Amino acid sequence: MPDATTADAHTDVLVAGAGPAGLMLACELALAGVSTTVLERNPSPPGFCRGFNLNARSLDLLDLRGLADRFLVEGPTLPATAFVGTAALDLAAMRRTRHPYVLGIAQTRVEELLTERARELGVRMLRGHRLTGFREDDEGITADVRAPDGPLRLRCRWLAGCDGGRSTVRKRAGIAFPGTPARRFTLLGDVVLADPAALPFGPTAGPDGGSVFVIPRPGYVRLVTAEPDPPEDRDAPVTPARFQKVLDRALGRRVEIAGFRWLTRFGDAARLAERLRAGRVLLAGDAAHVHPPAGAVGVNAAIDDAMNLGWKLALVARGRAPERLLESYHTERHAAGARLLRDTRAQALLAAEGERLAPLRDLLGELATAADTAGPLAETVTGVNTRYPAHDPHGHPWEGRMVPAGLPVTARNGGGVLLLDDATAPAAVREAAAPWADRVTVTAVRPGALPDTSAVLVRPDGHVGWVAPPGTAGGAARSALERWFGPPAEPGHHDVAD
Ligand SMILES: Cc1cc2nc3c(=O)[nH]c(=O)nc-3n(C[C@H](O)[C@H](O)[C@H](O)COP(=O)(O)OP(=O)(O)OC[C@H]3O[C@@H](n4cnc5c(N)ncnc54)[C@H](O)[C@@H]3O)c2cc1C
């Protein structure tokens, strides 16, 4: 559906914010046939770019929908990434991913590609529309929107706050955002140097302990440097004069800047929303967690949240699964958010603490490239080894983890997959899946491909929801299917997405 300038009065899900979280979530919902409207306060995409990468976890998730190739053609893949300030983390050592590298791609391009996909799927995009407030009742939510032509009211059943770190949705829902305030500030400048050779790629140290990190971009460079004395008003715009002054002081010399494209300030605040769901309101991406930019994972965490929430909210919105399925979104992604904060805070601390933590930096730098340790470390900080709570904590080691690469899991339609080893799986398990045929595809695997089991239920986000214990009967399969996909369909039942 094309961009709309006026909205229908009703949509199943209203998504506030067209960043990576909101766009990915909208794609997932629309794929499942849920009517979805995205509100974005900015009339057009930003003229600047924050992030420049997609990591292995994001690429694995996009792969499930057959989308990874659209992104992979856009930039180079690199087998290592910066870690704790200076060391390189060996990504090629990761074993649990199909994509053991980082893709260099501008966040703006990620957003363009997701917008394209959202349009293909029929998402209604309302740019220049700011959500200003909402009221919830038993049946749904009435949202107040400031539109280009004046105020607008939209009715929805669910509201997803994907509206960034200062989320209006989070604040209006009264969801607390505990954590630590920003104590250190950094200036970022996308600039054109008068002499491009004046600063090499990477860190350049000044004589008095200051330093500037330089990232070459096509036609300009990105300069990143600490701001030791931020102004009282941290939201005050960074002026060219201010940036030049901080830069000169860090370097102990003058480096001429011929042009300024984008200047900004960011801090190292780390906060995690107390709840990711309150009634009919859900939070994802920066609205749910803010963290120091160390490790460059914010876009990736936003996509991760959206992939976890999308299929669950779609099943609930379509009346296929009970609302309690949404509680697992909170349980799983709140814990993932806590790990995200721990990992990024650790890296920021190590990068900032000068000589005192140098031995720790050294040690971690060694572990980040050593053959035995680099893989597990990289899988941790990229989220590749994410394990959601298993139904049976003593069960199969796959439970809760991303299904291993190499198994025939294609979830392009956003549904689940029941992998069956036809040689050993009891017929009762295959038969048990029949009433979920609209939500779960049964796929045969070659004999022996599923170690220590004959059947594996893979959720639409690629995580293993159930592994058949030895001697499984149909009853266990039915309760696992119902846990993740809601009750079985009535015979002859069809809904709009069928
Ligand atoms: C300088 C910098 C560099 C970064 N580099 C990287 C990197 O290299 N890699 C990486 O992975 N991450 C990086 N990040 C983090 C990343 O940019 C964010 O984590 C990511 O954008 C979060 O996505 P999101 O969709 O949750 O929120 P956002 O991208 O912030 O999107 C929220 C959207 O909601 C809109 N909005 C807000 N309020 C309303 C409202 N009331 N109504 C309607 N719309 C609204 C906003 O206009 C915005 O478009 C960086 C961040 C910064 C600041």
Side-chain angles (χ1 to χ4, degrees):
M1 190 172 294
D3 286 4
T5 48
T6 53
D8 288 345
H10 185 274
T11 184
D12 278 342
V13 181
L14 187 61
V15 177
L23 291 168
M24 190 75 221
L25 179 62
C27 289
E28 287 292 285
L29 292 164
L31 181 66
V34 173
S35 85
T36 305
T37 300
V38 177
L39 297 176
E40 168 55 52
R41 67 182 171 190
N42 292 328
S44 49
F48 56 83
C49 182
R50 286 178 283 170
F52 284 108
N53 72 307
L54 283 181
N55 69 20
R57 168 84 173 169
S58 296
L59 292 166
D60 286 346
L61 291 170
L62 291 165
D63 225 358
L64 289 167
R65 302 288 178 267
L67 296 174
D69 290 345
R70 290 193 193 189
F71 291 82
L72 284 165
V73 295
E74 294 283 338
T77 55
L78 306 167
T81 190
F83 184 63
V84 292
T86 50
L89 179 59
D90 180 8
L91 301 172
M94 291 192 282
R95 292 288 164 263
R96 288 179 194 271
T97 172
R98 288 170 197 233
H99 305 280
Y101 40 72
V102 60
L103 170 67
I105 180 171
Q107 179 173 341
T108 43
R109 190 64 191 132
V110 171
E111 290 168 7
E112 277 168 18
L113 290 171
L114 290 176
T115 302
E116 238 171 73
R117 160 100 167 157
R119 287 205 175 107
E120 285 165 19
L121 293 168
V123 171
R124 181 177 291 115
M125 303 282 298
L126 295 174
R127 282 201 160 269
H129 286 61
R130 177 193 287 266
L131 179 96
T132 54
F134 63 86
R135 286 167 304 288
E136 182 173 341
D137 55 54
D138 289 347
E139 273 90 48
I141 286 181
T142 305
D144 297 317
V145 178
R146 196 180 307 143
D149 297 334
L152 194 70
R153 274 204 182 136
L154 276 177
R155 187 80 184 145
C156 60
R157 288 166 56 218
W158 300 92
L159 173 62
C162 301
D163 47 348
R166 298 180 182 198
S167 171
T168 302
V169 175
R170 187 188 65 235
K171 289 176 192 158
R172 293 296 172 106
I175 298 176
F177 203 33
T180 51
R183 296 201 183 91
R184 290 195 178 80
F185 290 86
T186 303
L187 292 188
L188 178 155
D190 285 345
V191 303
V192 180
L193 295 175
D195 171 10
L199 285 172
F201 170 48
T204 296
D208 300 320
S211 82
V212 176
F213 199 90
V214 183
I215 306 164
R217 300 294 312 154
Y220 66 98
V221 289
R222 172 163 287 188
L223 304 182
V224 183
T225 188
E227 185 181 32
D229 55 347
E232 193 76 8
D233 175 9
R234 309 286 153 81
D235 293 334
V238 182
T239 61
R242 168 82 189 155
F243 188 81
Q244 182 81 61
K245 188 173 155 205
V246 175
L247 179 71
D248 293 351
R249 201 170 48 202
L251 292 169
R253 64 189 160 98
R254 178 91 175 173
V255 168
E256 282 304 331
I257 294 176
F260 293 88
R261 293 169 60 119
W262 180 46
L263 297 175
T264 190
R265 166 186 298 109
F266 57 88
D268 62 350
R271 296 183 180 278
L272 177 60
E274 206 163 64
R275 283 173 291 148
L276 303 194
R277 176 191 173 205
R280 294 179 172 274
V281 174
L282 296 131
L283 300 178
D286 277 9
H289 35 69
V290 293
H291 55 84
V297 282
V299 168
N300 300 278
I303 289 175
D304 216 342
D305 284 350
M307 283 290 288
N308 188 297
L309 175 58
W311 62 277
K312 295 174 181 172
L313 184 53
L315 283 169
V316 174
R318 286 168 59 206
R320 289 304 181 89
E323 282 188 26
R324 68 168 181 276
L325 182 60
L326 294 174
E327 284 310 306
S328 72
Y329 170 63
H330 168 82
T331 308
E332 295 177 351
R333 295 307 301 168
H334 191 271
R339 284 196 303 275
L340 173 75
L341 261 60
R342 179 202 65 185
D343 295 349
T344 51
R345 291 177 71 197
Q347 289 186 63
L349 202 64
L350 283 160
E353 283 293 333
E355 272 316 290
R356 201 166 65 86
L357 293 183
L360 202 46
R361 269 198 298 276
D362 258 21
L363 174 65
L364 281 168
E366 200 174 302
L367 297 178
T369 47
D372 291 350
T373 46
L377 192 55
E379 287 174 2
T380 299
V381 298
T382 55
V384 160
N385 71 0
T386 299
R387 185 173 193 190
Y388 296 137
H391 187 64
D392 174 6
H394 308 295
H396 196 283
W398 285 7
E399 223 180 296
R401 287 194 186 279
M402 192 75 148
V403 65
L407 287 168
V409 174
T410 45
R412 291 184 180 209
N413 63 358
V417 178
L418 180 64
L419 296 172
L420 286 186
D421 180 336
D422 266 350
T424 54
V429 173
R430 179 182 281 276
E431 282 154 22
W436 281 271
D438 60 327
R439 284 155 278 172
V440 177
T441 307
V442 177
T443 304
V445 298
R446 62 176 171 74
L450 307 175
D452 304 322
T453 183
S454 56
V456 170
L457 180 62
V458 184
R459 313 186 322 182
D461 58 6
H463 280 260
V464 172
W466 174 73
V467 179
T472 299
R478 270 192 294 279
S479 64
L481 284 155
E482 182 150 0
R483 186 160 67 246
W484 293 119
F485 296 96
E490 302 285 330
H493 172 94
H494 296 285
D495 75 5
V496 283
D498 290 341

